[in-house]
Amino acid sequence: MPDVLFFRFLNNIKTGKQPFPVTIIYGFNEFLGEKIIQAFSETFLEEKGEFNYRRYYFDSEYEDTSWEEIISEANTSSFFVRSRKLIIVTIREEKKIVPEKYDVQLLTTYLENPNPNAILVIYISLNATKDDFKQVKNQKINKLIKALSSSNCYTVNLDKISEIEVKSYIKRYLNERGLAITASALDKIFEIKEDDFISVLYQLPRLEIAEVQDKSIDSEDIDKIVTGVEAHSIWDLTDAIENEDPEKYLKILRYLFINGIKAALIIGTLVTHYNKIYIAKFLLKQNFPIPEIGRALGQHSYFLDKFIRTARNFSEERLQHILNMIYDLDYESKTSGEESARLSLQNFAFQVKLFSTAGSH
């Protein structure tokens, strides 16, 4: 049977409509496996206890664990509430992934006629690097999946997830907890995390406990929630550039670096900032109302007056020069690595000042 993807499988569980005799869960992003186990427990067990929720381990600390005991446990499940069972078999050692020939026979025999009142989960949880995991998957996990191939056995790949699925899951997760999140806020999280879908999911606890206005998370809230850095820090940075204050600029830059903000994200934010100023100048020339410009460019009302003043005061020549420098910085950050990008960012304010000095002569 082909892999079922993580979010699809999670949704299938929550409907509670289909049986799940045996499920193999695997992937480098193994922490997602616990979410599947939790979903099984919440959906199919009225009250989790020692009689209906059992965990077995195959690792060096549990030498007595045997597949014979596990299959026997599954077969004792019955329709009665406390006798229905969720049985999780966690495999922590690579050498334990593929069962012995006798145990494979036990499992395949069980798969031919599984107990409808038992859910057996085989959860592969290894301490391995991403490269090592790929090798283990090819050499061991695929063998296990092939050996237990059956219409009664599902396999869930924890590593195959998409941006659309993650966004949908986050919106649903927060909605269930009485919170809303805007599309722009979701986009901002992915911008900060550079499309690392798994690290985006790690932000859920922060989003859940965030103190936000009207129980709605917007893009203005994300910098503070996700990075712990106030959004106004970028404004402080651009102010230091405009005021030609390299000392203040370097101090703010250092603050951002200390708080874990990547150079590429700062550069990307500067690109967006100066592009918005460029667009605002054009819209002002076309006599667009200021509130409409603010809405079109996603400027918070708190910053709008200051933003419009900045746009009006910029000469087009100077703005174009800064944009060219920023684009060069952006390209460099994507080709030369973090350290080089940091150095270039540190030099940026001095380059802007040199251009202003040269322009005054």
Side-chain angles (χ1 to χ4, degrees), residues 52-229:
N52 61 2
Y53 181 89
R54 301 294 302 274
R55 294 194 79 140
Y56 294 87
Y57 297 89
F58 281 106
D59 66 13
S60 56
E61 294 181 20
Y62 298 85
E63 293 293 346
D64 296 334
T65 304
S66 71
W67 280 110
E68 193 167 7
E69 178 188 357
I70 293 163
I71 296 301
S72 175
E73 183 75 37
N75 281 322
T76 61
S77 307
S78 67
F79 178 76
F80 297 101
V81 171
R82 285 189 173 274
S83 296
R84 292 175 173 174
K85 290 180 180 174
L86 171 58
I87 301 165
I88 302 104
V89 182
T90 305
I91 301 177
R92 288 179 169 163
E93 285 194 19
E94 181 184 336
K95 64 182 180 181
K96 302 278 189 178
I97 293 174
V98 182
E100 300 293 333
K101 188 175 181 179
Y102 171 76
D103 294 324
V104 170
Q105 185 59 51
L106 272 176
L107 285 162
T108 52
T109 300
Y110 177 78
L111 280 166
E112 289 173 3
N113 186 28
N115 186 337
N117 301 303
I119 296 171
L120 177 58
V121 177
I122 301 173
Y123 177 29
I124 299 170
S125 175
L126 305 175
N127 183 17
T129 65
K130 188 170 285 189
D131 288 339
D132 287 342
F133 184 84
K134 287 179 183 178
Q135 188 173 354
V136 173
K137 179 181 182 297
N138 292 332
Q139 295 178 352
K140 301 287 180 68
I141 296 173
N142 287 344
K143 283 185 180 179
L144 173 67
I145 293 171
K146 185 176 180 181
L148 302 187
S149 177
S150 164
S151 59
N152 289 319
C153 183
Y154 296 92
T155 61
V156 184
N157 187 332
L158 303 176
D159 296 335
K160 290 185 177 179
I161 58 176
S162 69
E163 181 176 332
I164 293 173
E165 289 175 315
V166 174
K167 286 182 175 179
S168 176
Y169 177 76
I170 290 174
K171 287 172 71 174
R172 185 168 62 252
Y173 179 94
L174 293 174
N175 183 257
E176 289 170 356
R177 288 153 180 81
L179 288 168
I181 185 166
T182 65
S184 61
L186 282 170
D187 289 339
K188 185 70 174 176
I189 297 173
F190 278 84
E191 179 186 337
I192 292 171
K193 294 300 176 182
E194 298 178 341
D195 295 337
D196 182 349
F197 303 148
I198 298 304
S199 68
V200 169
L201 289 174
Y202 276 125
Q203 305 308 311
L204 282 174
R206 290 185 178 186
L207 297 174
E208 187 178 349
I209 64 173
E211 295 182 6
V212 292
Q213 191 175 3
D214 299 327
K215 293 289 185 179
S216 178
I217 301 170
D218 206 347
S219 56
E220 290 84 8
D221 305 309
I222 293 302
D223 286 300
K224 177 64 174 174
I225 296 170
V226 175
T227 69
V229 178

Side-chain angles (χ1 to χ4, degrees), residues 265-284:
L265 176 63
I266 298 171
I267 293 167
T269 306
L270 289 174
V271 169
T272 302
H273 173 75
Y274 285 110
N275 266 309
K276 284 182 177 180
I277 288 175
Y278 190 88
I279 294 169
K281 283 188 75 64
F282 172 79
L283 294 177
L284 285 167

Side-chain angles (χ1 to χ4, degrees), residues 276-282 284 293 305-316 319:
K276 284 182 177 180
I277 288 175
Y278 190 88
I279 294 169
K281 283 188 75 64
F282 172 79
L284 285 167
I293 295 175
D305 288 344
K306 183 178 181 180
F307 174 77
I308 294 298
R309 282 199 306 273
T310 302
R312 280 180 170 146
N313 292 335
F314 248 109
S315 74
E316 290 191 11
L319 180 57

